[in-house]
Amino acid sequence: MLTKNHPRRQVIKQTSMSIFETIISRRSIGKMTSQPPTRQEIERLLEAATHAPNHHKVEPWKFFVLAGDARQQLGIVMAESLTQRLAESPLPSEKQDALINKERTKLMRSPVVIAVVAEPPRQAHVLAIENIEATAAATQNMLLVAEEMGLACMWRTGDAAYDPRVKEWLQLDPDDHIVAFVYVGYPAIPRLERRPVPYDEKTTWLGWVE
Ligand SMILES: Cc1cc2nc3c(=O)[nH]c(=O)nc-3n(C[C@H](O)[C@H](O)[C@H](O)COP(=O)(O)O)c2cc1C
């Protein structure tokens, strides 16, 4: 863990935004430059992830930081898998080739991709869904800290996240769950504005007295 006065802290860019400001300004940014974040920056995201709430303190997450060739290697596995799936319900060959090529290269869209994985319960009282929920919270922590540091992030899943061959390549158990591929880099485009549905359309107040 990086302590307050650790020298590596000094190289990490931070804004003075409040947590609330960081949350409402965060947006997914899908296009990134090829400049890789530093190891310290990635470690800061991972550190933030491990502070997520989790039931029974099982800390059910694990992380795979994919950079350089590792993205290409996993891309080949993903493309082989898609090829197999398409063999069962083929498309016109031109379309099929384009889809397979996209699958092979998609991890190259950012210089670093972090696979965030939820482990299955190891004890009877732990629920699988809660491990996934906690790992999703860990993922959101990463996105928020990335926002604070001026990094671009995109949480992606897609078929690859649920693909047994992808899990095998990462040496995961079949019951492990890939919650996110977090694409990380520096923004190449401005963020897209998004206005969420206002909370009052989603909220029921019960027993509230002014
Ligand atoms: C569980 C999960 C899976 C997602 N998978 C994808 C994905 O496969 N591809 C993608 O473009 N975005 C994916 N997203 C990102 C959403 O598209 C994005 O968060 C949404 O459009 C809202 O935009 P914002 O993040 O900029 O607020 C995913 C988000 C979550 C939470």
Side-chain angles (χ1 to χ4, degrees):
M1 183 184 153
L2 303 186
T3 55
K4 199 173 167 209
N5 297 319
H6 194 287
R8 289 210 313 244
R9 277 218 187 266
Q10 291 160 11
V11 299
I12 291 172
K13 216 171 68 182
Q14 254 184 288
T15 66
S16 55
M17 285 195 290
S18 70
I19 291 175
F20 183 76
E21 286 166 336
T22 305
I23 288 169
I24 63 171
S25 69
R26 183 212 60 81
R27 291 280 81 88
S28 299
I29 300 180
K31 282 204 166 37
M32 297 158 200
T33 69
S34 57
Q35 185 192 349
T38 64
R39 170 105 181 195
Q40 291 92 328
E41 285 171 327
I42 297 297
E43 284 181 357
R44 193 164 170 90
L45 305 187
L46 299 170
E47 172 77 21
T50 62
H51 288 268
N54 62 102
H55 202 178
H56 306 295
K57 300 191 183 70
V58 291
E59 303 183 17
W61 38 71
K62 50 194 176 195
F63 312 98
F64 296 84
V65 180
L66 306 171
D69 282 1
R71 293 166 305 154
Q72 264 147 351
Q73 287 165 26
L74 182 55
I76 291 169
V77 173
M78 284 160 50
E80 283 169 359
S81 229
L82 178 61
T83 307
Q84 233 174 38
R85 287 199 298 277
L86 287 170
E88 286 157 26
S89 43
L91 296 171
S93 70
E94 211 170 281
K95 192 163 185 194
Q96 199 154 301
D97 290 350
L99 283 175
I100 293 167
N101 193 43
K102 188 174 173 199
E103 195 69 10
R104 186 181 300 109
T105 54
K106 57 167 53 163
L107 294 171
M108 308 306 288
R109 289 176 292 189
S110 67
V112 176
V113 179
I114 306 173
V116 187
V117 175
E119 292 176 340
R122 308 266 182 237
Q123 300 134 299
H125 61 279
V126 176
L127 300 178
I129 190 172
E130 294 196 345
N131 281 3
I132 292 168
E133 289 163 347
T135 306
T139 305
Q140 175 69 348
N141 277 5
M142 294 168 80
L143 265 47
L144 292 176
V145 170
E147 175 72 23
E148 187 189 36
M149 289 159 60
L151 293 172
C153 258
M154 185 93 191
W155 178 339
R156 296 184 196 266
T157 49
D159 290 341
Y162 313 106
D163 185 332
R165 291 169 62 133
V166 169
K167 289 187 187 183
E168 206 176 295
W169 189 83
L170 291 169
Q171 299 188 330
L172 296 173
D173 291 338
D175 288 345
D176 282 320
H177 198 89
I178 300 174
V179 168
F181 291 109
V182 178
Y183 287 62
V184 194
Y186 289 97
I189 52 165
R191 73 197 62 211
L192 290 174
E193 286 308 316
R194 179 176 72 84
R195 279 187 186 279
V197 174
Y199 63 83
D200 55 2
E201 292 179 31
K202 301 272 187 181
T203 308
T204 306
W205 301 71
L206 302 169
W208 182 266
V209 181
E210 282 297 341

